[in-house]
């Protein structure tokens, strides 16, 4: 592989992404934000603040279940929720290709307005750039999100503990499979799960549920973010194939394209790592909400280790390793 140029795989959420981020962290040295979390955090006066930024380049920009505007707001507010924050403010930067249709821009802006109202966030700064035709693909959106962390708990990818339960808030892979089905012209009723999950996490924190780690399985899907948690916490993780909530339509699309649904992006799901004795409370609260009605406990954290791995216990009782992927399965999915 050419190691002198940046590849799509460097943005896949897989092994090359991790190496790419390490290069950035080591070069910049004093980086305050992220380090394996979905948002950075810092103290300001008496409050604990969460902040995140992200760029959205999805193709197609209109897809079953949403568009790039909805994706941008949900993705940013979800990243804030993954460190226990209540989203408050957002910035919005639009990079638009010359020749873009005003009607399409209006549809995207309406979605942005609807999602900010649902999330209870205000747009407090913004920017627009019009770029020469052919220099970008239609429209890219950059956002920054700001929220208040409402808990004293240490919620971190570094905090998964042996015997913890691994819970997902809904079906896996819907977003990635819906995009791939649409791109390939499949006759499918699949829709993206794109949604704001902050209210689900707030419900857990309001009920004083103990949470050790949170992640939303976007780029690289469930398998990639569980690998990241395993590495950050230095633990092995095992998930149970029989417990995984995956629609048959998702499996069908993935089988047709030779893609593993465990690596397909979700845009309206969260992975919750909590003490085993909190698992039933989490499931009860999640299943009382429409967005979390299909929540499922899918596995557990195993022992501490110097060589962390993610295992899949299969239907027949065998066990196989789910590694970080080296190459991008589905570029420009979010």
């Amino acid at each position: 592989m050419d190691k002198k140029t940046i590849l799509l795989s460097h943005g896949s959420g897989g092994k090359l992404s991790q190496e790419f981020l390490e290069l950035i962290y080591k070069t910049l040295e004093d980086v305050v934000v992220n380090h394996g979390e979905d948002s950075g955090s810092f103290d300001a006066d008496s409050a604990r603040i969460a902040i995140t930024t992200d760029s959205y380049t999805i193709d197609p920009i209109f897809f079953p279940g949403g568009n790039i505007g909805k994706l941008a707001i949900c993705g940013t507010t979800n990243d804030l929720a993954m460190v226990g924050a209540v989203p408050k403010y957002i910035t919005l930067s639009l990079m638009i290709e010359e020749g873009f249709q005003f009607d399409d821009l209006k549809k995207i802006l309406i979605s942005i307005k609807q999602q900010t109202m649902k999330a209870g966030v205000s747009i407090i700064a913004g920017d627009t750039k019009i770029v020469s035709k052919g220099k970008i693909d239609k429209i890219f959106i950059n956002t920054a999100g700001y929220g208040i962390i409402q808990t004293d708990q240490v919620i971190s990818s570094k905090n998964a503990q042996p015997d913890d339960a691994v819970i997902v808030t809904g079906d896996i892979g819907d977003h990635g499979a819906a995009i791939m089905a649409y791109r390939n012209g499949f006759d499918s009723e699949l829709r993206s799960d794109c949604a704001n999950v902050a209210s689900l996490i707030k419900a857990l924190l309001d009920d004083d549920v103990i949470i050790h780690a949170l992640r939303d399985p976007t780029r690289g899907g469930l398998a990639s973010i569980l690998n990241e948690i395993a590495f950050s916490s230095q633990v092995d993780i095992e998930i149970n194939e029989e417990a995984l909530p995956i629609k048959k339509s998702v499996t069908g699309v993935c089988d047709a394209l030779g893609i593993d649904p465990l690596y397909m992006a979700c845009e309206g799901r969260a992975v919750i790592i909590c003490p085993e004795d909190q698992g039933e409370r989490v499931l009860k609260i999640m299943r009382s909400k429409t967005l979390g009605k299909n929540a499922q406990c899918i596995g557990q954290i195993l022992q501490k280790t110097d060589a962390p791995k993610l295992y899949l216990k299969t239907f027949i009782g065998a066990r196989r390793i789910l590694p970080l992927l080296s190459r991008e399965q589905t570029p420009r999915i979010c």
Side-chain angles (χ1 to χ4, degrees):
M1 180 181 293
D2 180 0
K3 294 185 178 181
K4 294 183 179 180
T5 56
I6 296 171
L7 308 174
L8 278 174
S9 301
H10 286 109
S12 66
K15 186 177 179 181
L16 286 184
S17 283
Q18 298 305 309
E19 294 174 1
F20 187 55
L21 290 174
E22 283 301 314
L23 167 69
I24 293 173
Y25 293 150
K26 286 181 179 178
T27 304
L28 295 178
E29 293 183 346
D30 190 20
V31 178
V32 175
V33 296
N34 284 29
H35 282 293
E37 312 297 337
D38 286 315
S39 292
S41 60
F42 61 97
D43 293 316
D45 298 327
S46 59
R48 186 77 178 154
I49 307 299
I51 190 164
T52 186
T53 185
D54 209 340
S55 298
Y56 300 86
T57 66
I58 190 169
D59 178 33
I61 57 174
F62 293 95
F63 52 84
N67 62 51
I68 191 172
K70 179 181 181 181
L71 180 71
I73 303 304
C74 291
T76 303
T77 53
N78 288 347
D79 281 348
L80 293 170
M82 293 305 105
V83 294
V86 176
K88 293 290 185 183
Y89 304 107
I90 199 164
T91 69
L92 179 70
S93 180
L94 304 174
M95 287 147 281
I96 304 170
E97 183 185 24
E98 178 186 24
F100 194 75
Q101 296 294 309
F102 272 105
D103 285 348
D104 287 343
L105 178 61
K106 188 171 182 180
K107 291 174 188 174
I108 291 168
L109 293 175
I110 288 172
S111 288
I112 288 172
K113 181 179 180 180
Q114 290 172 340
Q115 294 306 315
T116 54
M117 291 176 68
K118 282 185 180 179
V121 298
S122 301
I123 298 174
I124 58 170
D127 183 42
T128 58
K129 291 286 187 294
I130 310 300
V131 182
S132 300
K133 192 168 184 60
K135 297 301 181 183
I136 64 169
D137 186 11
K138 295 183 274 297
I139 182 170
F140 294 169
I141 297 179
N142 175 266
T143 57
Y146 171 102
I148 308 296
I149 296 176
Q150 67 168 112
T151 177
D152 292 330
Q153 295 190 49
V154 179
I155 298 175
S156 168
S157 294
K158 300 180 179 68
N159 198 32
Q161 304 294 325
D163 298 327
D164 280 357
V166 180
I167 292 171
V168 291
T169 59
D171 296 339
I172 298 164
D174 289 16
H175 177 74
I179 301 298
M180 294 307 293
Y182 189 76
R183 283 183 187 172
N184 286 279
F186 293 175
D187 183 13
S188 171
E189 295 181 354
L190 260 177
R191 294 171 64 82
S192 166
D193 56 271
C194 185
N196 174 16
V197 300
S199 61
L200 293 181
I201 304 306
K202 187 174 186 303
L204 295 177
L205 296 174
D206 287 346
D207 207 56
D208 295 323
V209 172
I210 298 172
I211 301 171
H212 285 162
L214 289 168
R215 292 296 300 275
D216 57 342
T218 54
R219 280 184 309 178
L222 178 72
S224 294
I225 66 102
L226 287 179
N227 265 292
E228 291 173 16
I229 292 172
F231 180 79
S232 295
S233 295
Q234 293 286 283
V235 293
D236 287 333
I237 301 176
E238 183 178 79
I239 56 175
N240 189 338
E241 190 171 27
E242 286 186 322
L244 293 172
I246 305 176
K247 293 185 176 77
K248 288 184 179 179
S249 50
V250 170
T251 303
V253 169
C254 290
D255 285 348
L257 297 173
I259 296 171
D260 189 335
L262 295 179
Y263 293 90
M264 294 293 270
C266 309
E267 289 292 344
R269 308 288 184 240
V271 175
I272 301 164
I273 310 289
C274 65
E276 186 179 18
D277 63 3
Q278 301 285 297
E280 286 302 318
R281 285 180 67 196
V282 170
L283 290 174
K284 184 177 180 181
I285 293 170
M286 291 296 97
R287 290 170 179 170
S288 70
K289 313 288 185 184
T290 301
L291 193 56
K293 65 181 180 181
N294 291 333
Q296 204 61 253
C297 180
I298 61 169
Q300 67 177 139
I301 307 298
L302 304 179
Q303 66 279 353
K304 287 278 186 181
T305 175
D306 293 330
K309 291 182 177 59
L310 171 64
Y311 295 100
L312 175 71
K313 185 177 180 181
T314 68
F315 288 112
I316 60 173
R319 201 188 204 199
R320 70 180 176 92
I321 295 173
L322 295 173
L324 274 176
L325 296 183
S326 297
R327 294 183 178 276
E328 175 67 284
Q329 283 197 130
T330 52
R332 293 194 59 190
I333 207 81
C334 55

